[in-house]
Amino acid sequence: MFRPTCLLCALLLLTDPAAGQPEKEPPYQVPAPKGWAKETIALPPAFAPDMKWKGVEELRFAPGMFKADSDTFFSYALLFWLPDDQKIDPKTIEQELLAYYRGLAKAVLMSKKQEVDVSTFTLSIKDAPEKPGKRPGGESVAAFVGELKWTEPFATGKPQTLRLEIHTWPSEKHKHHCVFICASPQPATAEVWKTLHDIRAGCTTP
């Protein structure tokens, strides 16, 4: 039986010798609710060679992440911890995330001996309709929303629309950018979005 979590681990191990091995004391902290899995990988990952971002990606996976019939299917939170020489304007975020998801889908489906035309994937990012307040540390936040149309590779191999909420803010002390993404195909009223928002609110990046 195909086990998506095992495949994801294999993909992550291909990214970098340090992939999956968090820093001893990373300057950031991302909450992991009970039952949520976590992973840390180096950027850019080998499965997305077209990405230009360098840094670290911190992930938190919902319990039903790889279960197509779950109400938390493909729902997860990501923190991209990027040195401040990396660009994070909306156009760059769009390009980097599209390269990420195209590479991910291609790598996963190839491992299952399935083909996909990743050039058909699209991602649109625009300003969020509501402006968030400042972070608890006083950092100003830029907020965007995105819609990724792609082929979900792990559980279904079928087209999926993934909704993204993207917040960016600076960590001036560490000279880094923080790009925090809440992602889910679930409707905005789904309970999982509250959990994703709680993870984002609890993320500390001094």
Side-chain angles (χ1 to χ4, degrees):
M1 178 182 293
F2 170 62
R3 297 181 64 189
T5 52
C6 291
L7 176 54
L8 181 60
C9 289
L11 286 170
L12 297 179
L13 288 172
L14 290 173
T15 61
D16 185 90
Q21 301 298 321
E23 300 176 38
K24 290 183 180 179
E25 292 184 6
Y28 58 82
Q29 296 293 326
V30 181
K34 184 178 180 181
W36 286 59
K38 56 185 179 179
E39 190 62 74
T40 308
I41 65 174
L43 296 173
F47 60 75
D50 291 335
M51 285 189 76
K52 302 295 189 294
W53 275 349
K54 294 180 174 64
V56 176
E57 179 188 7
E58 190 76 28
L59 304 101
R60 298 292 181 267
F61 303 108
M65 173 73 181
F66 300 110
K67 301 174 183 177
D69 59 350
S70 171
D71 57 7
T72 63
F73 176 50
F74 224 89
S75 300
Y76 64 129
L78 312 85
L79 170 66
F80 289 99
W81 177 251
L82 308 171
D84 61 8
D85 62 351
Q86 309 289 292
K87 293 182 179 181
I88 59 165
D89 58 277
K91 182 178 179 180
T92 299
I93 293 174
E94 193 173 278
Q95 291 173 340
E96 292 297 289
L97 293 182
L98 191 55
Y100 180 96
Y101 283 106
R102 282 175 170 170
L104 180 63
K106 184 176 181 179
V108 173
L109 289 171
M110 280 183 62
S111 74
K112 299 165 69 176
K113 295 180 171 54
Q114 298 177 25
E115 294 185 2
V116 62
D117 182 2
V118 298
S119 68
T120 63
F121 295 2
T122 61
L123 173 61
S124 58
I125 290 178
K126 59 185 180 181
D127 290 339
E130 296 182 6
K131 301 302 180 184
K134 291 187 175 183
R135 299 282 303 174
E139 305 93 339
S140 296
V141 179
F144 310 95
V145 292
E147 186 176 84
L148 172 72
K149 293 185 180 298
W150 76 320
T151 298
E152 186 283 310
F154 288 99
T156 67
K158 296 179 179 179
Q160 181 189 68
T161 298
L162 192 63
R163 298 176 178 85
L164 308 175
E165 292 185 1
I166 305 164
H167 283 193
T168 70
W169 65 89
S171 174
E172 294 182 359
K173 178 180 178 181
H174 296 284
K175 295 182 170 52
H176 271 65
H177 294 307
C178 304
V179 179
F180 198 100
I181 301 174
C182 298
S184 179
Q186 307 302 327
T189 54
E191 185 67 20
V192 70
W193 282 104
K194 179 181 183 304
T195 306
L196 290 169
H197 294 162
D198 287 345
I199 295 172
R200 183 177 65 200
C203 174
T204 58
T205 54

